[in-house]
């Protein structure tokens, strides 16, 4: 394409974080330091890296991060007890349970235990429902990142045909809802979808959330389409065959440096939002 745009997630994230730094300073002056609690269960190396990155990102903008690392043998009850304590702890504003948890744990029950006002990653069914209705405070962070990138680059969503590949509760489903709420016509695809390539070829906006490296092929992309790659596979590889898809796309996110950094900045933003809401409550009491 002649006028091709690389959608630079690092740039979007930098701007979000700059505005958060000011908000964090102002909160601190009023006696509140926004704090994100991260819970990691077990020793999965990638999960440990993600949690560390999130904690470091908090500290860089003056927030606190409370890292809770539980042994891989932790039971559902033990995890629920930990979450309950964090729910009651007034110095914690957001809770992030790193997915996936070890197999013996009922992950859904653990997500549901997070108090809605601290569910800054939109993992509870109430948070998801609110996102679907379009009035939730805290949508899932990767879908929020995708919408933020489109908005940052003034890419129109209304009236466009968006094809989302993937329907997970944290990514494909909520981003489909958020695009629908912004008046896109949305097709959500999954592992049982037939003629996937033909459906993607109709898309003005393609969101890849499959979890398979280089899955989306160059000849599936309509000329001029916008491509957002949420995938993050081993070796820093996205779900989109970037070089091939770039040829037809008018705008595309790279991996790394696309959706990933914006996702982290959305997590920080939503935790700061939560801290500001607690301050408002204190002031009105
Ligand atoms: P997931 O829970 O494994 O869901 C994958 C989805 O892809 C499922 O809905 C599955 O369909 C669908 N799928 C699998 N094979 C398919 C096929 N051949 N054709 C069409 N659809 C297919 O994964 P996830 O948690 O949503 O994550 C997706 C990707 O995003 C991964 O690469 C992950 O690492 C990445 N991710 C990135 C961020 C970030 O911050 N950038 C955050 C979270 C996740 P079924 O429902 O039918 O099984």
């Amino acid at each position: 394409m002649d006028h091709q745009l690389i959608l630079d997630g690092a740039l979007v994230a930098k701007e979000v974080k700059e505005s958060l730094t000011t908000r964090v300073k102002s909160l601190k002056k009023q006696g509140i330091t926004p704090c994100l609690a991260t819970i990691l269960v077990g020793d999965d190396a990638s999960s440990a890296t993600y949690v560390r990155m999130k904690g470091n990102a908090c500290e860089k903008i003056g927030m606190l991060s409370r890292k809770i690392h539980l042994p891989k043998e932790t039971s559902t009850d033990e995890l629920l007890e930990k979450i309950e304590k964090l729910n009651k702890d007034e110095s914690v504003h957001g809770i992030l349970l790193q997915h996936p948890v070890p197999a013996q744990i009922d992950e859904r029950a653990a997500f549901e235990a997070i108090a809605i006002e601290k569910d800054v990653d939109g993992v509870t069914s109430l948070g998801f429902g609110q996102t679907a209705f379009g009035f939730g405070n805290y949508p899932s962070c990767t879908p929020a990142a995708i919408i933020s990138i489109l908005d940052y680059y003034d890419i129109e969503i209304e009236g466009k045909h968006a094809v989302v590949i993937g329907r997970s509760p944290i990514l494909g489903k909520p981003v489909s809802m958020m695009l629908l709420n912004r008046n896109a016509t949305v097709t959500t695809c999954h592992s049982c979808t037939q003629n996937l390539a033909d459906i993607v070829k109709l898309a003005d906006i393609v969101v890849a959330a499959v979890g398979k490296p280089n899955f989306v092929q160059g000849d599936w992309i309509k000329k001029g389409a916008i491509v957002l790659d949420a995938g993050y596979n081993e070796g820093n590889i996205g779900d989109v065959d970037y070089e091939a898809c770039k040829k037809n796309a008018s705008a595309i996110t790279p991996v790394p440096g696309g959706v990933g950094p914006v996702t982290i900045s959305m997590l920080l933003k939503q935790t700061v939002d939560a801290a500001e809401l607690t301050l408002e409550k204190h002031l009105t009491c």
Side-chain angles (χ1 to χ4, degrees):
M1 294 286 297
D2 287 344
H3 300 290
Q4 200 190 38
L5 195 58
I6 306 303
L7 304 172
D8 183 352
L11 179 70
V12 181
K14 186 167 166 274
E15 290 212 1
V16 174
K17 286 192 228 160
E18 273 166 12
S19 77
L20 289 178
T21 307
T22 317
R23 289 168 64 190
V24 171
K25 270 190 197 144
S26 156
L27 276 167
K28 280 180 164 176
K29 275 189 199 144
Q30 296 171 86
I32 290 189
T33 305
C35 175
L36 174 71
T38 58
I39 310 172
L40 172 67
V41 189
D43 302 312
D44 178 70
S46 319
S47 295
T49 305
Y50 296 145
V51 165
R52 199 167 44 246
M53 281 163 66
K54 289 163 187 169
N56 292 344
C58 284
E59 282 148 27
K60 272 195 191 141
I61 64 158
M63 289 172 53
L64 290 172
S65 81
R66 173 112 41 104
K67 298 183 190 89
I68 290 126
H69 189 177
L70 300 173
K72 63 177 185 305
E73 306 77 28
T74 300
S75 67
T76 302
D77 283 347
E78 285 163 338
L79 178 57
L80 293 182
E81 202 179 303
K82 194 49 115 182
I83 293 170
E84 210 38 62
K85 273 196 185 137
L86 293 170
N87 283 341
K88 290 189 182 130
D89 185 337
E90 286 189 5
S91 66
V92 169
H93 305 99
I95 301 173
L96 178 121
L97 171 62
Q98 185 63 43
H99 160 88
V101 293
Q104 78 278 7
I105 292 177
D106 180 344
E107 184 176 78
R108 182 51 22 212
F111 280 150
E112 295 301 343
I114 298 173
I116 185 70
E117 65 276 12
K118 299 191 181 188
D119 179 20
V120 289
D121 197 18
V123 294
T124 60
S125 50
L126 182 55
F128 174 85
Q130 291 181 346
T131 297
F133 275 106
F135 60 74
N137 278 333
Y138 313 121
S140 219
C141 291
T142 307
I146 289 168
I147 301 292
S148 290
I149 292 172
L150 291 170
D151 286 344
Y152 181 89
Y153 284 97
D154 269 332
I155 294 170
E156 195 160 17
I157 300 174
E158 182 163 317
K160 302 292 181 205
H161 182 197
V163 172
V164 177
I165 315 170
R167 58 171 168 181
S168 72
I170 55 136
L171 219 174
K173 266 185 200 155
V175 80
S176 295
M177 294 298 160
M178 291 168 84
L179 289 163
L180 184 63
N181 289 338
R182 293 286 296 269
N183 295 329
T185 300
V186 182
T187 305
T188 308
C189 303
H190 45 81
S191 63
C192 304
T193 298
Q194 293 179 7
N195 307 322
L196 178 67
D198 290 339
I199 296 170
V200 178
K201 280 177 191 170
L202 300 172
D204 303 308
I205 297 172
V206 179
V207 176
V210 199
K212 295 199 160 131
N214 295 325
F215 180 77
V216 177
Q217 302 299 299
D219 62 356
W220 300 5
I221 304 300
K222 183 169 83 174
K223 267 227 171 322
I226 314 290
V227 179
L228 296 129
D229 186 354
Y232 198 73
N233 305 291
E234 220 182 303
N236 274 352
I237 298 169
D239 287 350
V240 163
D241 183 346
Y242 179 77
E243 289 305 329
C245 291
K246 214 170 116 179
K247 290 185 181 132
N248 280 341
S250 62
I252 185 166
T253 54
V255 174
V259 174
V262 189
T263 297
I264 293 186
S265 71
M266 288 297 115
L267 181 65
L268 304 184
K269 179 190 166 294
Q270 297 188 162
T271 308
V272 173
D273 290 345
E276 285 175 350
L277 279 176
T278 60
L279 181 67
E280 272 172 38
K281 271 190 205 147
H282 281 301
L283 293 176
T284 49
C285 278

